Amino acid sequence: MTTKVALVTGANKGIGYEIAARLSAAGMTVLAGARDAERGQAAAARLAQAGGTAVHVPLDVTDAASVAAAAKWIEQEYGRLDVLVNNAGILLDLGSKPSETPVETLRRTYESNVVGVVAVTNAMLPLLRRSPAARIVNMSSELGSLTSTSDPQHPFSQFPLLAYNSSKSALNSITVSYANELKDTSVKVNAADPGYCATDLNRHSGPRTAAQGANVAVALATLDPDGPTGGYYSEDGPVAW
Ligand code: NAP
């Protein structure tokens, strides 16, 4: 059986690192995307020490040249890609009010969380189409759920993070767009809600661990051929859009 090749963006720490570790433990060759060479190489070395095959791929999702170079390198080395986890993301407006959010915060957030995902996905799709059963996982958040954040009874209505929340709602829409385009192919595209996990992103305020956050992404990255596409899932099942 051919070894599967998985690219995880933002794999040097947090939930992305845990996803990379789990895919590596499952026998995949993991390409650990990271924008900082030192942090990326350290993460790949840690993954390899645990017995897996992991290689650092320099990848800043906001830098078109970096995205193109990563795709070119993967094509030369492996000729295809089986799994893409669009995990890299930023949260810049923790504690901010929408009315006080500088537009620059919105722009920077969208560059990483929205435009970056599209840039990486479009660059990798020709390689993913060469896989017999490719899986794309977009790391969303329940903060992107309009059902949850518009419900005054829901705790997430207390977190009106204009830039972050709307970037994840946009990512959900983007997930559906790709799934619709690819519905007649073997490429499945889903959005993952990892739950509220303690990571650098939220100053370690979440009750869950990064390893728990990886569960749903790993499940979606390893879906069977009869698995869903175009959905939005947490570990407990479908999340309301
Ligand atoms: P984290 O610990 O802050 O890790 C974020 C990762 O993304 C880091 O590796 C970071 O690299 C990378 N990254 C950021 N901008 C990048 C760029 N332009 N190019 C490449 N890599 C970039 O955060 P996390 O909590 O693990 O978050 C992972 C994903 O899960 C994010 O998409 C986040 O929105 C989502 N999520 C998290 C939670 C939660 O509770 N933690 C909940 C829902 C969704 P550097 O080390 O170089 O900064």
Side-chain angles (χ1 to χ4, degrees):
M1 205 175 68
T2 325
T3 304
K4 287 189 174 173
V5 182
L7 171 64
V8 182
T9 69
N12 54 288
K13 67 176 182 181
I15 299 170
Y17 178 83
E18 298 296 335
I19 295 167
R22 293 269 295 281
L23 297 181
S24 168
M28 296 190 195
T29 294
V30 171
L31 310 180
R35 58 182 165 179
D36 179 87
E38 216 169 290
R39 290 196 289 271
Q41 283 161 11
R46 263 204 294 159
L47 292 165
Q49 264 166 23
T53 305
V55 186
H56 167 234
V57 179
L59 180 53
D60 181 335
V61 303
T62 64
D63 178 344
S66 164
V67 172
K72 191 173 171 194
W73 182 81
I74 295 168
E75 164 143 45
Q76 280 166 359
E77 292 295 314
Y78 303 97
R80 67 168 210 292
L81 192 61
D82 299 289
V83 171
L84 168 62
V85 183
N86 284 308
N87 165 78
I90 56 173
L91 194 179
L92 301 177
D93 50 344
L94 196 62
S96 304
K97 290 180 181 164
S99 56
E100 293 166 1
T101 303
V103 291
E104 191 49 30
T105 299
L106 193 72
R107 280 202 188 96
R108 283 177 55 206
T109 303
Y110 274 54
E111 273 301 319
S112 300
N113 297 7
V114 181
V115 180
V117 172
V118 173
V120 172
T121 303
N122 286 350
M124 301 301 161
L125 255 177
L127 300 171
L128 289 157
R129 285 180 187 274
R130 290 185 200 156
S131 166
R135 306 289 177 254
I136 300 174
V137 182
N138 292 331
M139 287 301 281
S140 183
S141 164
E142 194 182 346
L143 285 168
S145 162
L146 297 178
T147 304
S148 297
T149 57
S150 65
D151 175 358
Q153 306 305 322
H154 196 288
F156 282 6
S157 65
Q158 304 305 310
F159 293 95
L161 312 179
L162 185 144
Y164 184 80
N165 295 2
S166 64
S167 76
K168 295 300 185 181
S169 301
L171 180 60
N172 288 347
S173 174
I174 284 165
T175 302
V176 172
S177 294
Y178 278 114
N180 286 343
E181 179 184 342
L182 296 165
K183 68 178 170 16
D184 296 325
T185 73
S186 58
V187 186
K188 293 185 188 295
V189 193
N190 290 288
D193 161 27
Y196 189 12
C197 307
T199 65
D200 288 349
L201 185 96
N202 50 34
R203 300 176 202 142
H204 293 262
S205 56
R208 284 162 63 79
T209 64
Q212 288 173 312
N215 288 343
V216 64
V218 171
L220 294 172
T222 55
L223 282 174
D224 290 336
D226 59 352
T229 188
Y232 177 25
Y233 297 95
S234 76
E235 196 179 289
D236 300 325
V239 179
W241 300 103

